[in-house]
Amino acid sequence: MTEASARTRHARELFAPLGPTYDRYANVLSFGQDPRSRRFLVSRIPGDATRVADVASGTAAVAIELARAAPSRTVVGVDQSSEMLAAGRARVRDAGLDSRIELIEGRAERLPFGDAEFDALTFTYLLRYVDDPAATMRELARVVRPDGVVAMLEFALPRGLWRPLWELYVRVGLPAAGAVVSPAWREVGTFLGPSIRDFYERYPLAAVVELWRDAGIGDVQVRRLSLGGGVVIWGRRA
Ligand SMILES: C[S@@+](CC[C@H](N)C(=O)[O-])C[C@H]1O[C@@H](n2cnc3c(N)ncnc32)[C@H](O)[C@@H]1O
């Protein structure tokens, strides 16, 4: 792998201790929204997409959902965290899906695949962790065949009355709840709110959509989920 920047190294350190407990607490701390959002993300991928890449695959929640959604589908999950992938491999085994899901270590900025290898690609909670979201979007689009669907799930900033409630949650509730679980989850709970805020200051949602278009993805659509706290974006490779 190429040398990682401070931002990518921080992401690696953040996720390294989380693998074994990630699924349970991501679900609890998102009030059960995480699995619902993933299901909507996966529903964007056409059933005839038989070879799908899932980038920032972590513990393989999306990869498993993708494989379950289409019996003839194979999925390659990529993540830079060997620890998250180790938890993912156990989960894939338990789900009896090892013959259709492969998990490999790699970075979204430089995917270990040729051009247009995949019928579709998903990625989850990734763009906040990369230095150059525009270049990463181009790299993600590169490995998808023309007309293939690209879909992402990310946190978002709620609007209107929900925003102050969200601020209260990420400033007080989430760090406190994380601290109850473990020091590693306290770090996540403290980091998440500023990370989401900072990302959308640099790239408001309209600018994110522009990144997609500039990467050669057309027909880009946006759906806000979870009272605006999540967003799914999808489109087709030109
Ligand atoms: C919040 S987790 C999401 C995992 C999974 N997709 C899910 O929905 O549960 C984000 C994942 O992104 C991975 N990640 C962060 N930066 C990355 C990069 N530059 N390349 C590959 N993976 C990255 C982390 O290791 C982590 O597993």
Side-chain angles (χ1 to χ4, degrees), residues 21 34 50 62 104 130 139 156 163 181 191 193 207 224 229:
T21 56
D34 238 24
T50 51
V62 173
I104 60 179
V130 301
E139 176 64 355
R163 179 64 190 269
V181 178
F191 161 85
R224 284 175 167 268

Side-chain angles (χ1 to χ4, degrees), residues 15 22 38 56-58 79-81 84 106-109 124 129:
F15 285 102
Y22 179 81
R38 284 196 204 98
S57 199
D79 200 285
Q80 68 169 6
S81 166
M84 290 288 276
R107 291 177 55 207
E109 295 90 329
T124 323
Y129 296 110

Side-chain angles (χ1 to χ4, degrees), residues 154-175:
E154 184 51 88
F155 294 116
L157 293 172
R159 291 177 290 198
L161 269 181
W162 294 111
R163 179 64 190 269
L165 289 175
W166 182 88
E167 289 290 346
L168 188 66
Y169 182 57
V170 299
R171 285 174 198 268
V172 182
L174 194 55

Side-chain angles (χ1 to χ4, degrees), residues 25-47:
Y25 293 117
N27 192 358
V28 171
L29 297 177
S30 72
F31 300 111
Q33 293 304 302
D34 238 24
R36 291 183 57 205
S37 310
R38 284 196 204 98
R39 275 197 294 279
F40 182 76
L41 170 77
V42 169
S43 75
R44 302 301 85 199
I45 305 301

Side-chain angles (χ1 to χ4, degrees), residues 130-196:
V130 301
D131 287 319
D132 187 345
T136 302
M137 277 309 306
R138 287 194 295 274
E139 176 64 355
L140 296 167
R142 178 186 69 78
V143 303
V144 179
R145 67 161 166 77
D147 214 34
V149 171
V150 179
M152 108 173 177
L153 168 63
E154 184 51 88
F155 294 116
L157 293 172
R159 291 177 290 198
L161 269 181
W162 294 111
R163 179 64 190 269
L165 289 175
W166 182 88
E167 289 290 346
L168 188 66
Y169 182 57
V170 299
R171 285 174 198 268
V172 182
L174 194 55
V180 172
V181 178
S182 70
W185 277 100
R186 183 186 52 206
E187 168 76 11
V188 174
T190 311
F191 161 85
L192 215 46
S195 161
I196 297 166

